[in-house]
Amino acid sequence: MNTDLFTRGLAKATDTDVVEVGRGLLARSGTILRDALFTGDQPALLVADERTWAAAGSAVEEALRAAGVRLVEPLVFPGYPVLYASYDNTETIRERLRTTGALGVAVGSGTINDLVKLASGELGRRYAVVGTAAVSYTHLDVYKRQG
């Protein structure tokens, strides 16, 4: 994969610090996230649904633990019915982030990412997304808080 496009994009980005796309990222996700997002003593709150947890959640949890990142109990929504991007789901995530002092890690790039992004933004916190898809590639992005 040509990473030059990512490098040029990141040089101009104001909200994104790191983008990784490729095979084998789940095993390295703990180190990538630790170095880019968990530079202090903040714990990680993994947010997923049952489908994205099965696809990547436990692997990301294991990788973060191996990298020495503190973890709070993951927030895993039911897989069915399909998670809806309603504000009450954002409030659930925001309150878990607030009460634990954690930074959010969305495991899933669609609705879950949208919910974690909004909840984190409302708290002025950075967050990351480990995208999952039906293909054999995974992407990982780390976002700054908007301010």
Side-chain angles (χ1 to χ4, degrees), residues 47-49 52 75 77 82-94 97 104-123 125-132 139 141 143-144 146:
V47 181
D49 66 21
T52 63
L75 179 55
F77 290 92
V82 174
L83 186 64
Y84 182 71
S86 64
Y87 192 68
D88 59 321
N89 289 327
T90 298
E91 291 174 322
T92 298
I93 296 166
R94 186 191 64 227
L97 290 169
V105 177
V107 180
S109 54
T111 299
I112 292 167
N113 178 49
D114 294 341
L115 294 168
V116 175
K117 180 190 304 185
L118 180 56
S120 298
E122 288 182 353
L123 294 171
R125 294 185 188 170
R126 299 174 71 208
Y127 84 103
V129 57
V130 178
T132 57
H139 75 271
D141 303 312
Y143 297 95
K144 299 176 185 175
Q146 293 181 347

Side-chain angles (χ1 to χ4, degrees), residues 1 7 9-10 16 22 30 38 49 54-55 57-58 62 71 89 96 98 106 109 114 117 122 135 139 142-143:
M1 180 169 290
T7 302
L10 282 172
T16 304
F38 296 99
D49 66 21
S58 58
E62 182 179 318
L71 297 160
N89 289 327
R96 280 289 301 281
R98 187 184 59 74
S109 54
D114 294 341
K117 180 190 304 185
E122 288 182 353
V135 297
H139 75 271
V142 177
Y143 297 95

Side-chain angles (χ1 to χ4, degrees), residues 53-69:
W53 185 263
S58 58
V60 174
E61 181 180 46
E62 182 179 318
L64 283 167
R65 188 170 281 116
V69 176

